[in-house]
Amino acid sequence: MPSITGPEIERLIQLLARLPGLGPRSARRAALHLIKKREQLLAPLADAIRVANEKVVVCSTCGNVDTSDPCVMCRDPRRDDKVLVVVEDVSDLWALERAQVSNGRYHVLGGTLSALDGVGPKDLNLDKLLARVTEGGVEEVILALNATVDGQTTAHYVTDMLSHTGVKVTRLAHGVPVGGELDYLDEGTLAAAFRQRTTL
Amino acid sequence: MPSITGPEIERLIQLLARLPGLGPRSARRAALHLIKKREQLLAPLADAIRVANEKVVVCSTCGNVDTSDPCVMCRDPRRDDKVLVVVEDVSDLWALERAQVSNGRYHVLGGTLSALDGVGPKDLNLDKLLARVTEGGVEEVILALNATVDGQTTAHYVTDMLSHTGVKVTRLAHGVPVGGELDYLDEGTLAAAFRQRTTL
């Protein structure tokens, strides 16, 4: 097919199409939108991406991404050093923060153990987790990992790894999602919710 | 809510969320993806957006966007000067080119007449269309406008505007979309398809 538009715009479309949530068609729409809103969107976005590219660092303490090291979570003096919430990914940290469920510190593993994908303990941010717990001051490690096979395998591994430190290790509850209907839930979730029922 | 991440990343998320097809949640995912794929995606995208911002121009002949003026469509010597395809938007031009339905030239109106949105003839790229047709050489104007009320209003207006030039004005056929099922089609489309049935 002959080129419809200049190679520069084609390249922009191709790069936008690699963003999660955008396919080839929506990337074209996004590129056109950018070009039309040049002053309000294209120029500011160019600037924001350049700044992000220059400034973003991975926090050497917890693995979060931020524009400073240590990150805003590790720096905040109002957070509770006694609680350490372990998550797979930065997006999980953001999700927990949006829900405002914990005032503790975080630790981002950067993935889960996966035999299929060849991800072993050395590939995760585990040494630093052990170091942080061994250092003292942490009383509870909350494993906020996904309820997938890989997430649960990782949870077992971390529990084992931390067993000699004497720290309390907990995991999130399984159960019926708020607003969820029993009829649409899988048997595993229903069984877990039944087992862990609470007194009213 | 206290900031989860640095203001630079927040700003990137806010700008990404203004792209069509991305909401606040997918913008966060896209931003994280960009940050993680720094070398492969973030830096090239920054570059592509900067280049687009510097180079993109609106073609002074047809209203297409390109990095050169006249655009690749108006420049191409193999295209047929006798056929002029009128579209609402650049995205429609791209859609027609992907379908490879026409070898003619294009003319982008930049919208449709809309009493509700206060879009009048002066707001569209109509003067230039009349000039191109009056200039001579065009034998057929194909109105490839959306089959919406505004699109059809605009088609009538353009037909009126061009009536004294003697050029042949046509519009796209209405009918059953390829792969479409009759049961799911609206009555207007069915009636149009029935009226304009063709002999096998």
Side-chain angles (χ1 to χ4, degrees):
Chain A
M1 195 172 98
S3 171
I4 304 174
T5 178
E8 295 89 350
I9 303 178
E10 287 287 353
R11 174 143 179 79
L12 177 61
I13 294 172
Q14 275 165 20
L15 287 168
L16 285 174
R18 288 170 56 194
L19 290 179
L22 288 183
R25 188 176 285 256
S26 44
R28 276 194 299 270
R29 277 178 52 219
L32 261 185
H33 189 78
L34 277 173
I35 290 166
K36 281 185 197 158
K37 307 253 172 187
R38 207 150 158 176
E39 294 306 314
Q40 308 101 297
L41 195 50
L42 185 61
L45 185 62
D47 200 50
I49 288 184
R50 187 185 52 75
V51 170
N53 190 25
E54 281 168 12
K55 290 206 176 176
V56 167
V57 286
V58 173
C59 175
S60 58
T61 307
C62 74
N64 188 12
V65 293
D66 199 348
T67 43
S68 61
D69 182 12
C71 73
V72 64
M73 292 293 152
C74 293
R75 241 176 18 234
D76 192 339
R78 288 162 305 179
R79 289 202 157 253
D80 186 356
D81 285 321
K82 296 196 285 295
V83 176
L84 196 56
V85 182
V86 176
V87 292
E88 284 179 29
D89 201 26
V90 177
S91 53
D92 301 326
L93 187 161
W94 291 1
L96 290 171
E97 275 302 297
R98 283 199 302 280
Q100 294 186 277
V101 287
S102 170
N103 192 36
R105 303 283 177 188
Y106 285 96
H107 194 84
V108 182
L109 292 182
T112 48
L113 298 175
S114 169
L116 270 178
D117 298 333
V119 181
K122 290 284 156 223
D123 302 312
L124 302 182
N125 192 12
L126 285 168
D127 293 345
K128 232 172 267 171
L129 173 61
L130 186 57
R132 285 178 84 181
V133 173
T134 318
E135 213 171 61
V138 178
E139 292 176 4
E140 180 178 2
V141 171
I142 303 175
L143 301 178
L145 302 172
N146 290 338
T148 55
V149 173
D150 286 345
Q152 296 308 299
T153 308
T154 311
H156 281 294
Y157 186 91
V158 174
T159 311
D160 262 7
M161 183 182 83
L162 297 178
S163 58
H164 71 277
T165 63
V167 78
K168 182 177 170 190
V169 181
T170 56
R171 66 157 177 76
L172 300 189
H174 293 313
V176 185
V178 175
E181 295 181 39
L182 297 193
D183 196 20
Y184 293 96
L185 280 177
D186 63 298
E187 287 74 17
T189 305
L190 268 183
F194 205 83
R195 249 191 339 264
Q196 293 162 34
R197 64 194 177 277
T198 53
T199 317
L200 283 179
Chain B
M1 195 173 96
S3 172
I4 303 175
T5 178
E8 294 87 352
I9 304 178
E10 287 287 354
R11 174 142 179 79
L12 178 60
I13 295 172
Q14 276 166 20
L15 287 168
L16 286 173
R18 286 170 55 193
L19 291 178
L22 286 183
R25 187 178 287 257
S26 44
R28 275 195 298 268
R29 277 177 52 218
L32 261 185
H33 189 76
L34 278 173
I35 289 166
K36 282 186 199 160
K37 308 252 174 191
R38 207 150 157 177
E39 294 306 314
Q40 307 101 297
L41 195 50
L42 185 60
L45 185 62
D47 201 49
I49 288 184
R50 187 185 51 76
V51 171
N53 190 26
E54 281 167 11
K55 291 204 175 175
V56 167
V57 285
V58 173
C59 175
S60 58
T61 308
C62 75
N64 188 11
V65 293
D66 199 347
T67 44
S68 61
D69 181 13
C71 73
V72 65
M73 291 295 151
C74 292
R75 241 177 17 234
D76 192 341
R78 288 162 305 179
R79 291 201 157 252
D80 187 356
D81 285 321
K82 295 196 285 296
V83 176
L84 196 56
V85 182
V86 176
V87 292
E88 283 178 29
D89 201 24
V90 177
S91 54
D92 300 327
L93 187 161
W94 290 2
L96 290 171
E97 274 303 296
R98 283 199 301 280
Q100 294 185 278
V101 287
S102 170
N103 193 35
R105 304 282 176 188
Y106 285 96
H107 193 84
V108 181
L109 293 182
T112 48
L113 298 175
S114 170
L116 269 179
D117 298 333
V119 182
K122 290 284 157 225
D123 302 312
L124 301 182
N125 192 11
L126 286 168
D127 292 346
K128 232 171 268 170
L129 173 62
L130 186 57
R132 285 178 85 180
V133 174
T134 317
E135 212 171 62
V138 178
E139 293 176 5
E140 180 179 2
V141 171
I142 304 175
L143 300 178
L145 302 172
N146 291 337
T148 55
V149 172
D150 286 344
Q152 296 310 299
T153 310
T154 310
H156 281 294
Y157 185 91
V158 174
T159 312
D160 262 8
M161 182 181 83
L162 297 177
S163 58
H164 71 276
T165 64
V167 78
K168 182 178 169 194
V169 180
T170 56
R171 67 154 176 78
L172 300 189
H174 292 310
V176 184
V178 175
E181 295 180 39
L182 297 193
D183 196 19
Y184 293 95
L185 280 177
D186 64 296
E187 286 76 16
T189 305
L190 268 183
F194 204 84
R195 247 189 343 261
Q196 294 163 32
R197 62 195 177 277
T198 53
T199 317
L200 284 180

